[in-house]
């Protein structure tokens, strides 16, 4: 498992801390110069952003819908500047998504469809990321 994949142990620990209330997930994303797909993957996209937004996000929404899980995109946009950085950290995009519960998110990423249809797009697109759970 590489650092871009969802760790089952990390997800289990996060679930213990986050609980079963609504959660908002913040994704800080750095994209590759060009997507890096496995040779045998059939649904390749031409750019890393297309791999993430068309491939990954599109498949993710479809999988969530097929599982009856509502997912709300709250925000997606490019980072302009970290105004007062404490360290040199630069992200390309920030994506914020609301879920009924962390268990809903876990159901999606634990599904077989996710690993076959969505995850290859995310791994092809993203060179670095942070995944932060928040609650209003």
């Amino acid at each position: 498992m590489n650092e871009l994949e969802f760790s089952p142990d990390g997800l289990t620990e996060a679930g213990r801390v986050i609980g079963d209330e609504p959660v908002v997930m913040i994704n800080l994303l750095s994209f590759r110069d060009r997507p890096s797909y496995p040779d045998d993957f059939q649904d390749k996209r031409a750019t890393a952003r297309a791999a993430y937004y068309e491939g990954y996000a599109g498949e993710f929404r479809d999988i969530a819908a097929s599982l009856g899980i509502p997912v709300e995109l709250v925000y997606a946009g490019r980072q302009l500047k970290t105004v007062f950085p404490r360290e040199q950290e630069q992200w390309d995009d920030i994506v914020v998504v609301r879920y009924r519960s962390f268990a809903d998110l876990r159901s999606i990423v634990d599904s077989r469809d996710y690993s076959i249809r969505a995850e290859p797009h995310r791994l092809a697109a993203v060179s670095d990321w942070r995944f932060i759970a928040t609650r209003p």
Side-chain angles (χ1 to χ4, degrees), residues 37-44:
Y37 284 103
D39 290 337
D40 62 344
F41 191 71
Q42 298 300 310
D43 189 27
K44 296 176 182 174

Side-chain angles (χ1 to χ4, degrees), residues 20-56:
D20 202 34
E21 298 175 37
V23 64
V24 175
M25 300 301 295
I26 299 170
N27 300 265
L28 304 177
L29 305 166
S30 289
F31 293 113
R32 298 178 190 278
D33 290 333
R34 50 177 59 115
S36 177
Y37 284 103
D39 290 337
D40 62 344
F41 191 71
Q42 298 300 310
D43 189 27
K44 296 176 182 174
R45 304 301 163 107
T47 67
R49 272 199 168 82
Y52 189 84
Y53 288 108
E54 296 168 16
Y56 176 69

Side-chain angles (χ1 to χ4, degrees), residues 22-26 74 96-99 132-136:
V23 64
V24 175
M25 300 301 295
I26 299 170
V74 176
V96 180
V97 181
R98 181 177 293 120
Y99 300 90
I132 303 164
T134 68
R135 181 168 292 124

Side-chain angles (χ1 to χ4, degrees), residues 5-6 38 41 56 59-60 63 107-123:
E5 294 180 75
F6 289 114
F41 191 71
Y56 176 69
E59 293 292 346
F60 190 95
I63 293 163
S107 293
I108 296 166
V109 301
D110 284 346
S111 73
R112 186 171 190 280
D113 279 344
Y114 178 86
S115 65
I116 294 169
R117 295 172 29 208
E119 186 175 43
H121 288 294
R122 188 174 67 80
L123 296 177

Side-chain angles (χ1 to χ4, degrees), residues 22-27 57 60-62 64-65 68-76 94-101 104-105 108 131 134 136:
V23 64
V24 175
M25 300 301 295
I26 299 170
N27 300 265
F60 190 95
R61 278 190 308 270
D62 290 349
I69 297 173
V71 174
E72 178 189 354
L73 175 64
V74 176
Y75 174 83
I94 299 166
V95 177
V96 180
V97 181
R98 181 177 293 120
Y99 300 90
R100 284 185 309 200
S101 68
D104 277 356
L105 170 62
I108 296 166
F131 198 41
T134 68

